[in-house]
């Protein structure tokens, strides 16, 4: 088992005071939000992972954002998606599975290109501050039986959002699959990765 650092010492180690304050606000909101939607053990498990992400990546994190079901940490070349609801668990499971079975192979007009991602499965005991990383098969067998549910955390390549005009300018057309990707407040959740490939970056189950 590996030890997770105490939450009291984590956020204060951030190099950016602005990010530190923002992280505290998100963490407080995250804790309040999770307390209404998760069991106490699962809520504590997620808070430990939230803190661990800041312990390990705090010097690289430029922003923290939150959607309906997941909290996202923005790094220079990637993002980390942490669930904040049980639907968020399923979103992460689905994205990891979807990319594994349909990795992208370049621009394509007829089927969705998915951003590269992988999942790490954390099995946390928040009462002893310890955790294990599970393989996918162990996670699947344990997720519905454990009193504290293991947590799938998605690590995804960073994607720069592009609207329809930018997509057409870049590749000459807007592929039909773009319109099948869920919209957020800005538009369809697609963009270009560092290789210049148009990909979907939010393709969870919900």
């Amino acid at each position: 088992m590996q030890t997770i650092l105490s939450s009291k010492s984590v956020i204060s180690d951030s190099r950016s005071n602005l990010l530190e304050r923002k992280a505290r606000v998100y963490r407080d909101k995250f804790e309040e939000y999770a307390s209404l939607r998760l069991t106490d053990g699962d809520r504590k498990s997620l808070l430990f992972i939230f803190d661990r992400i800041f312990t390990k990546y705090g010097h690289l994190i430029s922003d923290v954002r939150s959607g309906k079901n997941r909290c996202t940490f923005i790094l220079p070349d990637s993002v980390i998606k942490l669930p904040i609801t049980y639907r968020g668990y399923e979103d992460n499971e689905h994205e990891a599975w979807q990319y594994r079975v349909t990795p992208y192979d370049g621009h394509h007009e007829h089927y969705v290109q998915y951003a590269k991602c992988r999942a790490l499965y954390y099995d946390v005991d928040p009462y002893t501050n310890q955790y294990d990383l599970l393989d996918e098969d162990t996670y699947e067998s344990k997720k519905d039986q454990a009193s504290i549910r293991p947590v799938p955390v998605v690590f995804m390549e960073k994607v720069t959002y592009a609207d329809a005009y930018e997509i057409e300018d870049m590749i000459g057309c807007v592929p039909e699959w773009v319109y099948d990707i869920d919209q957020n407040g800005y538009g369809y959740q697609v963009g270009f990765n560092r290789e210049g490939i148009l990909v979907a970056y939010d393709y969870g189950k919900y």
Side-chain angles (χ1 to χ4, degrees):
M1 298 287 277
Q2 297 169 285
T3 301
I4 297 178
L5 296 180
S6 167
S7 61
K8 294 181 181 179
S9 65
V10 173
I11 304 301
S12 60
D13 292 336
S14 173
R15 293 180 181 178
S16 167
N17 290 333
L18 179 61
L19 180 59
E20 178 183 336
R21 290 195 297 270
K22 188 169 187 177
R24 287 182 181 277
V25 170
Y26 269 109
R27 192 185 189 283
D28 289 344
K29 288 183 178 179
F30 174 72
E31 184 170 14
E32 179 182 1
Y33 191 80
S35 68
L36 300 174
R37 292 162 175 81
L38 304 171
T39 66
D40 185 60
D42 287 343
R43 177 184 61 83
K44 290 178 179 178
S45 174
L46 288 174
L47 286 170
F48 274 121
I49 298 172
F50 185 101
D51 291 341
R52 176 166 175 75
I53 289 171
F54 260 90
T55 298
K56 187 171 184 178
Y57 300 104
H59 64 295
L60 296 173
I61 294 171
S62 62
D63 200 3
V64 184
R65 302 171 187 170
S66 184
K68 293 183 298 183
N69 299 311
R70 296 183 288 182
C71 178
T72 303
F73 303 86
I74 311 300
L75 282 70
D77 298 319
S78 61
V79 299
I80 304 172
K81 300 183 181 183
L82 178 66
I84 56 177
T85 68
Y86 290 121
R87 283 192 168 190
Y89 284 66
E90 294 183 58
D91 281 338
N92 276 4
E93 292 169 1
H94 183 80
E95 283 187 348
W97 170 83
Q98 186 69 74
Y99 180 73
R100 189 168 62 252
V101 299
T102 52
Y104 68 68
D105 60 0
H107 303 309
H108 202 288
E109 294 184 34
H110 304 298
Y111 60 86
V112 183
Q113 303 284 285
Y114 297 104
K116 292 179 182 177
C117 73
R118 65 188 177 94
L120 292 180
Y121 304 97
Y122 288 82
D123 188 16
V124 177
D125 183 345
Y127 303 105
T128 63
N129 294 3
Q130 294 183 321
Y131 73 97
D132 281 324
L133 289 177
L134 307 178
D135 59 52
E136 185 180 0
D137 289 339
T138 305
Y139 169 77
E140 287 294 334
S141 66
K142 191 172 183 178
K143 68 178 185 179
D144 295 324
Q145 301 175 13
S147 58
I148 297 176
R149 182 172 177 172
V151 182
V153 179
V154 162
F155 293 74
M156 180 177 284
E157 67 176 336
K158 193 171 184 179
V159 176
T160 301
Y161 168 75
D163 62 25
Y165 298 104
E166 292 168 317
I167 294 170
E168 187 166 5
D169 185 57
M170 287 286 290
I171 63 175
C173 66
V174 180
E176 287 297 321
W177 60 260
V178 167
Y179 302 106
D180 294 328
I181 304 301
D182 287 341
Q183 295 189 61
N184 58 18
Y186 303 97
Y188 298 102
Q189 298 186 71
V190 300
F192 291 95
N193 63 13
R194 294 185 67 183
E195 299 169 21
I197 306 298
L198 180 67
V199 295
Y201 59 81
D202 189 342
Y203 48 93
K205 186 175 181 180
Y206 297 104

